[in-house]
Amino acid sequence: MPILLSKKDMDVRVEYGSFGIQEFYHDDVPIPYPDASKSGVFLQSFPGRLDLGSAGHTHTVSVSVEIWDSCPVSDLHQDWDEVEESVIETPTGELAVWDTGPQQGNGISLGRPGHWAVRAAAAGRAEAERQTRLTGPVHGVERWLLQFWPADA
């Protein structure tokens, strides 16, 4: 039975329709965020980095990060607009959240280095796209869940 080790809620700035998660020591990331990022893609993987595509251009999303000891049960497709999985490698076990630079206070501590599986889920995407297009920046309309677990578990 998978065990939830930690959970963290944070507000994350989105600029130009995306945000990134990458190795905390960005000098170790061969292609730092946002280089080579593709617009309109929900989840993209690069060495030491993940790009997450938002439906809105510039706004703030609510993000819940869960760290698990093994793959959590996946029943997320019922409550989320999109769900995808990937893997990130981190030599430190510490990740930073980025928009045009690192977001202070929005770090993710995985607890150990290695290869980590991640499941990204998002909801409220159509409304975030509509509101950011019509009224400008909004807060918390688009919600994300990021679940991490050791890829070898």
Side-chain angles (χ1 to χ4, degrees):
M1 179 64 113
I3 297 171
L4 178 64
L5 302 175
S6 67
K7 182 175 180 178
K8 178 179 181 176
D9 295 321
M10 62 180 116
D11 292 329
V12 173
R13 286 185 316 273
V14 170
E15 293 187 5
Y16 302 102
S18 71
F19 64 99
I21 296 173
Q22 66 183 23
E23 172 60 34
F24 184 81
Y25 297 102
H26 60 274
D27 291 340
D28 294 338
V29 180
I31 306 169
Y33 181 82
D35 294 353
S37 189
K38 294 180 184 166
S39 179
V41 179
F42 182 71
L43 177 61
Q44 299 174 76
S45 294
F46 297 90
R49 165 183 144 200
L50 298 169
D51 293 2
L52 300 139
S54 173
H57 185 276
T58 302
H59 62 120
T60 302
V61 296
S62 298
V63 178
S64 292
V65 176
E66 297 177 349
I67 312 301
W68 292 82
D69 70 338
S70 60
C71 181
V73 175
S74 176
D75 59 354
L76 298 178
H77 292 283
Q78 305 169 41
D79 300 325
W80 301 92
D81 300 337
E82 293 197 48
V83 178
E84 287 189 30
E85 293 184 9
S86 189
V87 174
I88 187 170
E89 181 179 7
T90 169
T92 65
E94 301 295 324
L95 303 174
V97 178
W98 281 61
D99 50 41
T100 55
Q103 294 186 15
Q104 298 299 321
N106 277 349
I108 299 170
S109 181
L110 298 173
R112 67 177 176 87
H115 288 83
W116 285 80
V118 61
R119 180 180 300 135
R125 292 174 62 75
E127 187 61 17
E129 188 279 328
R130 187 184 75 74
Q131 286 191 30
T132 59
R133 183 174 33 82
L134 295 176
T135 62
V138 294
H139 186 271
V141 175
E142 189 172 84
R143 297 174 297 109
W144 286 74
L145 172 64
L146 303 175
Q147 297 175 313
F148 292 87
W149 66 93
D152 57 3

Short mmCIF file of all heavy atoms in Angstrom, two decimals, residues 17-62:
data_model
loop_
_atom_site.label_atom_id
_atom_site.label_comp_id
_atom_site.label_asym_id
_atom_site.label_seq_id
_atom_site.Cartn_x
_atom_site.Cartn_y
_atom_site.Cartn_z
N GLY A 17 2.29 31.04 -20.41
CA GLY A 17 1.57 29.78 -20.51
C GLY A 17 2.25 28.56 -19.93
O GLY A 17 1.82 27.44 -20.20
N SER A 18 3.28 28.74 -19.10
CA SER A 18 3.91 27.56 -18.51
C SER A 18 4.70 27.91 -17.26
O SER A 18 4.94 29.07 -16.95
CB SER A 18 4.84 26.88 -19.52
OG SER A 18 5.99 27.64 -19.75
N PHE A 19 5.07 26.86 -16.54
CA PHE A 19 6.03 26.97 -15.44
C PHE A 19 6.89 25.71 -15.49
O PHE A 19 6.55 24.73 -16.15
CB PHE A 19 5.35 27.18 -14.08
CG PHE A 19 4.47 26.06 -13.60
CD1 PHE A 19 4.93 25.13 -12.68
CD2 PHE A 19 3.16 25.94 -14.04
CE1 PHE A 19 4.11 24.11 -12.21
CE2 PHE A 19 2.32 24.93 -13.58
CZ PHE A 19 2.80 24.01 -12.66
N GLY A 20 8.01 25.76 -14.83
CA GLY A 20 8.94 24.64 -14.87
C GLY A 20 9.31 24.16 -13.49
O GLY A 20 9.22 24.90 -12.51
N ILE A 21 9.73 22.91 -13.43
CA ILE A 21 10.30 22.33 -12.22
C ILE A 21 11.62 21.73 -12.65
O ILE A 21 11.66 20.95 -13.61
CB ILE A 21 9.37 21.25 -11.63
CG1 ILE A 21 8.06 21.89 -11.18
CG2 ILE A 21 10.07 20.52 -10.49
CD1 ILE A 21 7.02 20.90 -10.75
N GLN A 22 12.68 22.12 -11.96
CA GLN A 22 13.98 21.59 -12.36
C GLN A 22 14.88 21.43 -11.14
O GLN A 22 14.59 21.94 -10.07
CB GLN A 22 14.64 22.45 -13.42
CG GLN A 22 15.03 23.84 -12.99
CD GLN A 22 15.62 24.65 -14.14
OE1 GLN A 22 15.37 24.37 -15.32
NE2 GLN A 22 16.41 25.64 -13.81
N GLU A 23 15.98 20.72 -11.36
CA GLU A 23 16.99 20.54 -10.32
C GLU A 23 17.28 21.89 -9.66
O GLU A 23 17.41 22.90 -10.34
CB GLU A 23 18.26 19.95 -10.95
CG GLU A 23 19.44 19.88 -10.04
CD GLU A 23 19.23 19.03 -8.78
OE1 GLU A 23 18.50 18.02 -8.83
OE2 GLU A 23 19.79 19.41 -7.74
N PHE A 24 17.34 21.89 -8.33
CA PHE A 24 17.54 23.13 -7.58
C PHE A 24 18.79 23.87 -8.02
O PHE A 24 18.79 25.08 -8.17
CB PHE A 24 17.59 22.82 -6.08
CG PHE A 24 17.69 24.05 -5.23
CD1 PHE A 24 16.57 24.79 -4.93
CD2 PHE A 24 18.92 24.47 -4.74
CE1 PHE A 24 16.66 25.93 -4.15
CE2 PHE A 24 19.02 25.61 -3.96
CZ PHE A 24 17.89 26.35 -3.66
N TYR A 25 19.87 23.14 -8.21
CA TYR A 25 21.12 23.75 -8.67
C TYR A 25 21.09 23.80 -10.19
O TYR A 25 21.53 22.88 -10.87
CB TYR A 25 22.32 22.98 -8.13
CG TYR A 25 22.36 23.03 -6.63
CD1 TYR A 25 21.94 21.95 -5.87
CD2 TYR A 25 22.76 24.19 -5.97
CE1 TYR A 25 21.94 22.02 -4.48
CE2 TYR A 25 22.77 24.27 -4.59
CZ TYR A 25 22.36 23.17 -3.85
OH TYR A 25 22.34 23.24 -2.49
N HIS A 26 20.51 24.87 -10.72
CA HIS A 26 20.22 24.94 -12.15
C HIS A 26 21.46 24.88 -13.02
O HIS A 26 21.35 24.61 -14.21
CB HIS A 26 19.37 26.17 -12.47
CG HIS A 26 20.00 27.47 -12.12
ND1 HIS A 26 19.90 28.01 -10.87
CD2 HIS A 26 20.73 28.32 -12.85
CE1 HIS A 26 20.55 29.15 -10.83
NE2 HIS A 26 21.07 29.36 -12.02
N ASP A 27 22.66 25.09 -12.47
CA ASP A 27 23.88 24.93 -13.27
C ASP A 27 24.08 23.47 -13.70
O ASP A 27 24.81 23.19 -14.64
CB ASP A 27 25.11 25.41 -12.50
CG ASP A 27 25.13 26.92 -12.32
OD1 ASP A 27 24.42 27.62 -13.08
OD2 ASP A 27 25.83 27.39 -11.41
N ASP A 28 23.39 22.54 -12.99
CA ASP A 28 23.47 21.12 -13.32
C ASP A 28 22.44 20.70 -14.37
O ASP A 28 22.39 19.53 -14.75
CB ASP A 28 23.27 20.26 -12.07
CG ASP A 28 24.41 20.43 -11.07
OD1 ASP A 28 25.51 20.84 -11.49
OD2 ASP A 28 24.19 20.15 -9.88
N VAL A 29 21.60 21.61 -14.82
CA VAL A 29 20.56 21.31 -15.80
C VAL A 29 21.09 21.67 -17.18
O VAL A 29 21.34 22.85 -17.46
CB VAL A 29 19.26 22.07 -15.48
CG1 VAL A 29 18.18 21.75 -16.50
CG2 VAL A 29 18.78 21.75 -14.07
N PRO A 30 21.27 20.68 -18.09
CA PRO A 30 21.87 20.97 -19.39
C PRO A 30 21.08 21.96 -20.25
O PRO A 30 21.66 22.76 -20.97
CB PRO A 30 21.93 19.61 -20.08
CG PRO A 30 21.52 18.59 -19.10
CD PRO A 30 20.97 19.27 -17.90
N ILE A 31 19.76 21.90 -20.17
CA ILE A 31 18.91 22.82 -20.91
C ILE A 31 17.98 23.46 -19.88
O ILE A 31 16.92 22.92 -19.57
CB ILE A 31 18.08 22.09 -22.01
CG1 ILE A 31 18.97 21.29 -22.93
CG2 ILE A 31 17.25 23.10 -22.81
CD1 ILE A 31 18.21 20.36 -23.86
N PRO A 32 18.36 24.61 -19.32
CA PRO A 32 17.55 25.21 -18.26
C PRO A 32 16.22 25.77 -18.77
O PRO A 32 16.11 26.14 -19.93
CB PRO A 32 18.45 26.32 -17.71
CG PRO A 32 19.41 26.63 -18.79
CD PRO A 32 19.57 25.38 -19.60
N TYR A 33 15.25 25.80 -17.88
CA TYR A 33 13.93 26.34 -18.19
C TYR A 33 14.07 27.82 -18.53
O TYR A 33 14.79 28.53 -17.86
CB TYR A 33 12.99 26.15 -17.00
CG TYR A 33 11.60 26.66 -17.26
CD1 TYR A 33 10.69 25.89 -17.94
CD2 TYR A 33 11.23 27.94 -16.85
CE1 TYR A 33 9.42 26.37 -18.22
CE2 TYR A 33 9.96 28.42 -17.12
CZ TYR A 33 9.07 27.63 -17.80
OH TYR A 33 7.81 28.09 -18.06
N PRO A 34 13.42 28.33 -19.56
CA PRO A 34 12.45 27.74 -20.46
C PRO A 34 13.02 27.33 -21.82
O PRO A 34 12.25 27.13 -22.77
CB PRO A 34 11.44 28.87 -20.64
CG PRO A 34 12.28 30.11 -20.65
CD PRO A 34 13.40 29.81 -19.68
N ASP A 35 14.33 27.22 -21.95
CA ASP A 35 14.93 26.88 -23.25
C ASP A 35 14.34 25.60 -23.81
O ASP A 35 14.15 24.61 -23.09
CB ASP A 35 16.45 26.72 -23.11
CG ASP A 35 17.15 28.02 -22.76
OD1 ASP A 35 16.48 29.07 -22.76
OD2 ASP A 35 18.36 27.98 -22.49
N ALA A 36 14.02 25.62 -25.10
CA ALA A 36 13.47 24.48 -25.87
C ALA A 36 12.05 24.10 -25.47
O ALA A 36 11.52 23.11 -25.94
CB ALA A 36 14.39 23.26 -25.79
N SER A 37 11.41 24.88 -24.62
CA SER A 37 10.04 24.60 -24.22
C SER A 37 9.10 24.83 -25.40
O SER A 37 9.27 25.77 -26.17
CB SER A 37 9.64 25.50 -23.06
OG SER A 37 8.41 25.11 -22.53
N LYS A 38 8.10 23.97 -25.53
CA LYS A 38 7.11 24.09 -26.60
C LYS A 38 5.79 24.57 -26.03
O LYS A 38 5.27 23.99 -25.07
CB LYS A 38 6.92 22.75 -27.30
CG LYS A 38 8.13 22.28 -28.04
CD LYS A 38 7.87 20.95 -28.70
CE LYS A 38 9.14 20.44 -29.36
NZ LYS A 38 9.04 19.04 -29.72
N SER A 39 5.24 25.59 -26.62
CA SER A 39 3.96 26.14 -26.20
C SER A 39 2.83 25.14 -26.47
O SER A 39 2.83 24.45 -27.47
CB SER A 39 3.70 27.44 -26.96
OG SER A 39 2.47 27.98 -26.58
N GLY A 40 1.88 25.09 -25.54
CA GLY A 40 0.69 24.26 -25.73
C GLY A 40 0.86 22.79 -25.37
O GLY A 40 -0.05 22.01 -25.58
N VAL A 41 2.00 22.40 -24.81
CA VAL A 41 2.22 21.01 -24.41
C VAL A 41 2.02 20.90 -22.91
O VAL A 41 2.59 21.67 -22.14
CB VAL A 41 3.64 20.54 -24.82
CG1 VAL A 41 3.86 19.11 -24.37
CG2 VAL A 41 3.83 20.67 -26.32
N PHE A 42 1.21 19.95 -22.47
CA PHE A 42 0.85 19.81 -21.06
C PHE A 42 2.05 19.45 -20.18
O PHE A 42 2.29 20.07 -19.15
CB PHE A 42 -0.26 18.77 -20.91
CG PHE A 42 -0.74 18.59 -19.49
CD1 PHE A 42 -1.47 19.58 -18.87
CD2 PHE A 42 -0.45 17.44 -18.79
CE1 PHE A 42 -1.91 19.43 -17.56
CE2 PHE A 42 -0.89 17.27 -17.49
CZ PHE A 42 -1.62 18.27 -16.87
N LEU A 43 2.81 18.44 -20.56
CA LEU A 43 3.96 17.98 -19.77
C LEU A 43 5.10 17.62 -20.70
O LEU A 43 4.93 16.77 -21.58
CB LEU A 43 3.57 16.78 -18.91
CG LEU A 43 4.65 16.13 -18.05
CD1 LEU A 43 5.21 17.11 -17.03
CD2 LEU A 43 4.09 14.90 -17.34
N GLN A 44 6.25 18.28 -20.53
CA GLN A 44 7.44 18.00 -21.33
C GLN A 44 8.58 17.64 -20.39
O GLN A 44 8.74 18.26 -19.34
CB GLN A 44 7.87 19.24 -22.12
CG GLN A 44 6.86 19.73 -23.11
CD GLN A 44 7.33 21.03 -23.74
OE1 GLN A 44 8.19 21.03 -24.60
NE2 GLN A 44 6.77 22.14 -23.29
N SER A 45 9.39 16.66 -20.79
CA SER A 45 10.53 16.24 -19.99
C SER A 45 11.83 16.60 -20.68
O SER A 45 11.96 16.44 -21.90
CB SER A 45 10.51 14.72 -19.79
OG SER A 45 9.41 14.36 -19.01
N PHE A 46 12.76 17.09 -19.90
CA PHE A 46 14.13 17.37 -20.31
C PHE A 46 15.03 16.81 -19.22
O PHE A 46 14.57 16.59 -18.10
CB PHE A 46 14.35 18.88 -20.45
CG PHE A 46 13.52 19.54 -21.51
CD1 PHE A 46 12.28 20.06 -21.21
CD2 PHE A 46 13.99 19.65 -22.81
CE1 PHE A 46 11.51 20.68 -22.18
CE2 PHE A 46 13.22 20.27 -23.79
CZ PHE A 46 11.98 20.79 -23.47
N PRO A 47 16.32 16.64 -19.47
CA PRO A 47 17.21 16.18 -18.41
C PRO A 47 17.19 17.14 -17.22
O PRO A 47 17.44 18.34 -17.36
CB PRO A 47 18.59 16.16 -19.07
CG PRO A 47 18.30 15.97 -20.53
CD PRO A 47 17.01 16.73 -20.77
N GLY A 48 16.79 16.63 -16.06
CA GLY A 48 16.76 17.43 -14.85
C GLY A 48 15.65 18.46 -14.78
O GLY A 48 15.67 19.34 -13.91
N ARG A 49 14.64 18.34 -15.64
CA ARG A 49 13.63 19.39 -15.73
C ARG A 49 12.31 18.85 -16.28
O ARG A 49 12.29 17.98 -17.13
CB ARG A 49 14.20 20.47 -16.62
CG ARG A 49 13.24 21.47 -17.15
CD ARG A 49 13.93 22.44 -18.08
NE ARG A 49 13.02 22.80 -19.15
CZ ARG A 49 13.39 23.31 -20.29
NH1 ARG A 49 14.66 23.51 -20.56
NH2 ARG A 49 12.51 23.63 -21.20
N LEU A 50 11.21 19.45 -15.81
CA LEU A 50 9.87 19.21 -16.33
C LEU A 50 9.24 20.56 -16.64
O LEU A 50 9.33 21.49 -15.85
CB LEU A 50 9.00 18.49 -15.30
CG LEU A 50 9.44 17.12 -14.85
CD1 LEU A 50 8.62 16.68 -13.65
CD2 LEU A 50 9.29 16.12 -15.99
N ASP A 51 8.59 20.67 -17.79
CA ASP A 51 7.83 21.87 -18.14
C ASP A 51 6.35 21.52 -18.08
O ASP A 51 5.93 20.49 -18.60
CB ASP A 51 8.17 22.33 -19.56
CG ASP A 51 9.58 22.85 -19.69
OD1 ASP A 51 10.34 22.82 -18.70
OD2 ASP A 51 9.94 23.29 -20.79
N LEU A 52 5.58 22.40 -17.45
CA LEU A 52 4.15 22.18 -17.27
C LEU A 52 3.40 23.29 -17.98
O LEU A 52 3.56 24.47 -17.66
CB LEU A 52 3.83 22.14 -15.78
CG LEU A 52 4.62 20.99 -15.10
CD1 LEU A 52 5.16 21.42 -13.77
CD2 LEU A 52 3.75 19.78 -15.01
N GLY A 53 2.59 22.91 -18.96
CA GLY A 53 1.87 23.87 -19.78
C GLY A 53 0.51 24.21 -19.20
O GLY A 53 -0.35 23.35 -19.05
N SER A 54 0.32 25.47 -18.89
CA SER A 54 -0.94 25.97 -18.36
C SER A 54 -1.87 26.35 -19.50
O SER A 54 -1.43 26.65 -20.60
CB SER A 54 -0.66 27.18 -17.47
OG SER A 54 -1.87 27.78 -17.06
N ALA A 55 -3.16 26.41 -19.21
CA ALA A 55 -4.13 26.86 -20.20
C ALA A 55 -4.19 28.38 -20.28
O ALA A 55 -4.61 28.94 -21.29
CB ALA A 55 -5.51 26.30 -19.88
N GLY A 56 -3.76 29.07 -19.22
CA GLY A 56 -3.77 30.52 -19.20
C GLY A 56 -2.39 31.08 -19.49
O GLY A 56 -1.38 30.42 -19.28
N HIS A 57 -2.36 32.32 -19.97
CA HIS A 57 -1.09 32.94 -20.35
C HIS A 57 -0.28 33.39 -19.13
O HIS A 57 0.82 32.91 -18.90
CB HIS A 57 -1.34 34.13 -21.29
CG HIS A 57 -0.08 34.74 -21.81
ND1 HIS A 57 0.63 35.68 -21.09
CD2 HIS A 57 0.60 34.53 -22.94
CE1 HIS A 57 1.70 36.03 -21.78
NE2 HIS A 57 1.71 35.35 -22.93
N THR A 58 -0.80 34.33 -18.38
CA THR A 58 -0.10 34.86 -17.21
C THR A 58 -1.09 34.91 -16.05
O THR A 58 -2.08 35.62 -16.11
CB THR A 58 0.43 36.29 -17.49
OG1 THR A 58 1.30 36.23 -18.63
CG2 THR A 58 1.19 36.84 -16.30
N HIS A 59 -0.82 34.12 -15.02
CA HIS A 59 -1.69 34.05 -13.85
C HIS A 59 -1.01 33.24 -12.76
O HIS A 59 0.16 32.87 -12.89
CB HIS A 59 -3.06 33.45 -14.24
CG HIS A 59 -3.01 32.05 -14.75
ND1 HIS A 59 -3.66 31.01 -14.14
CD2 HIS A 59 -2.37 31.50 -15.80
CE1 HIS A 59 -3.45 29.89 -14.82
NE2 HIS A 59 -2.67 30.16 -15.83
N THR A 60 -1.73 32.95 -11.69
CA THR A 60 -1.21 32.15 -10.59
C THR A 60 -2.07 30.91 -10.44
O THR A 60 -3.30 31.00 -10.38
CB THR A 60 -1.22 32.96 -9.27
OG1 THR A 60 -0.44 34.14 -9.46
CG2 THR A 60 -0.64 32.16 -8.13
N VAL A 61 -1.40 29.74 -10.40
CA VAL A 61 -2.11 28.47 -10.24
C VAL A 61 -1.90 27.95 -8.82
O VAL A 61 -0.89 28.25 -8.18
CB VAL A 61 -1.66 27.42 -11.29
CG1 VAL A 61 -2.01 27.87 -12.69
CG2 VAL A 61 -0.18 27.11 -11.18
N SER A 62 -2.85 27.17 -8.35
CA SER A 62 -2.73 26.49 -7.06
C SER A 62 -2.14 25.11 -7.33
O SER A 62 -2.69 24.36 -8.15
CB SER A 62 -4.09 26.36 -6.39
OG SER A 62 -4.63 27.63 -6.13
#
